[in-house]
Amino acid sequence: MKGLFSALLVPFDENGQIIEQGLRDVVRFNIDVQQIDGLYVNGSSGENFLLSTEQKKQIFQIVSDENKGKVKLIAQVGSLNLNEAIELGKYATELGYDSLSAVTPFYYKFTFQEIKAYYETIIRETGNDMIIYAIPALTGVSMSMAQFDELFQNEKIIGVKYTDGNFFLLERLRKQYPNKLIYSGFDEMLIYGAISGVDGAIGSTYNVNGKQAKQIWDLCQTGKVAEAYEVQHKTNDLIEKILELGLYQTLKEILNVKGIQAGTVKQPMSSLDPAKKDAVKHLVEKYEL
């Protein structure tokens, strides 16, 4: 379960329906071209929180079918509706996903004990392993070292997707829990996670730039940090441009430019401004995507 995982993009048509062949092609592109080690399915990059339960199941099924056991699969099943999270967790487990993941409950000001019970319930009902999805910038939930200590006492909680800029807490977690999986969640900070000893990374830009991300990762593993920084600088130049144009819209358009039917984003997100399409083509050429 170590290495780089793409936070999988999902192609939608103008009516918000999943483009099945497009999704299959995105899976193949990640495996065959980007050569990633795994797929993180139905996370933020998959526009998960805009989807119905049936759409989420459809995505889990298509990805599992197309993957055919080639790379590791993590199913993000987190939901404010605990019954939905359990239903999705059972479904993904039956499909053979290697682990579940779940975003911390958000919007309402849940107590830590409520958050802990949420994870324990999903684990108990599904029987699968769990990777906590910690992304305080979007959920408003920041967990302390003591709270991670309490969660990690559960052997079925095997790690965390750590999308946080608190590198002191990251260092403390790594030192205290060498046997738990820690995934870096910020693509633009991959190098910092790598030199901090994380076990891998999960990111949206790996759908189009996975090969460079693997360069950064591999260079850090062999102690070539200065060389890794040069690749990270180039990667971050690209990420800056993608963010300026619109994150998910631009990532999908990059795939469209490359002949993969990546469709558009799901409303209420806005489709890519047609005036920006030439800029996206320029990115593909300039960064040799």
Side-chain angles (χ1 to χ4, degrees), residues 120-192:
E120 289 177 340
T121 302
I122 297 171
I123 291 166
R124 183 177 64 251
E125 294 295 325
T126 65
N128 206 338
D129 291 334
M130 172 63 66
I131 295 166
I132 296 165
Y133 183 7
I135 182 167
L138 295 184
T139 62
V141 179
S142 294
M143 287 190 291
S144 67
M145 186 66 191
Q147 290 170 338
F148 274 112
D149 283 337
E150 197 168 331
L151 289 170
F152 280 163
Q153 297 311 305
N154 188 323
E155 292 183 358
K156 299 293 283 183
I157 296 180
I158 61 172
V160 57
K161 180 187 178 190
Y162 188 85
T163 310
D164 193 345
N166 183 345
F167 283 90
F168 176 60
L169 178 56
L170 175 61
E171 181 273 335
R172 295 286 84 188
L173 285 170
R174 179 72 294 167
K175 179 178 182 293
Q176 184 68 20
Y177 296 102
N179 296 322
K180 296 289 186 180
L181 293 167
I182 301 178
Y183 299 100
S184 173
F186 279 129
D187 305 15
E188 62 272 30
M189 291 193 272
L190 173 59
I191 188 170
Y192 305 111

Side-chain angles (χ1 to χ4, degrees), residues 170-281:
L170 175 61
E171 181 273 335
R172 295 286 84 188
L173 285 170
R174 179 72 294 167
K175 179 178 182 293
Q176 184 68 20
Y177 296 102
N179 296 322
K180 296 289 186 180
L181 293 167
I182 301 178
Y183 299 100
S184 173
F186 279 129
D187 305 15
E188 62 272 30
M189 291 193 272
L190 173 59
I191 188 170
Y192 305 111
I195 62 178
S196 297
V198 298
D199 299 291
I202 300 169
S204 56
T205 63
Y206 305 159
N207 285 271
V208 302
N209 197 43
K211 287 183 288 187
Q212 273 200 355
K214 290 207 81 169
Q215 271 188 285
I216 296 168
W217 180 257
D218 290 343
L219 287 167
C220 286
Q221 303 313 302
T222 55
K224 298 176 181 176
V225 177
E227 291 178 44
Y229 263 111
E230 290 306 311
V231 184
Q232 186 75 70
H233 292 325
K234 183 179 178 182
T235 294
N236 285 0
D237 289 343
L238 170 63
I239 290 173
E240 268 191 336
K241 297 297 183 184
I242 289 172
L243 292 174
E244 286 173 12
L245 293 167
L247 177 57
Y248 302 129
Q249 296 90 336
T250 303
L251 292 176
K252 288 185 175 184
E253 184 60 20
I254 289 171
L255 292 172
N256 286 327
V257 168
K258 295 187 69 62
I260 297 165
Q261 191 182 10
T264 186
V265 291
K266 193 171 173 64
Q267 291 183 337
M269 291 188 191
S270 300
S271 297
L272 182 72
D273 183 346
K276 295 179 177 179
K277 289 193 173 185
D278 284 344
V280 176
K281 289 180 182 177

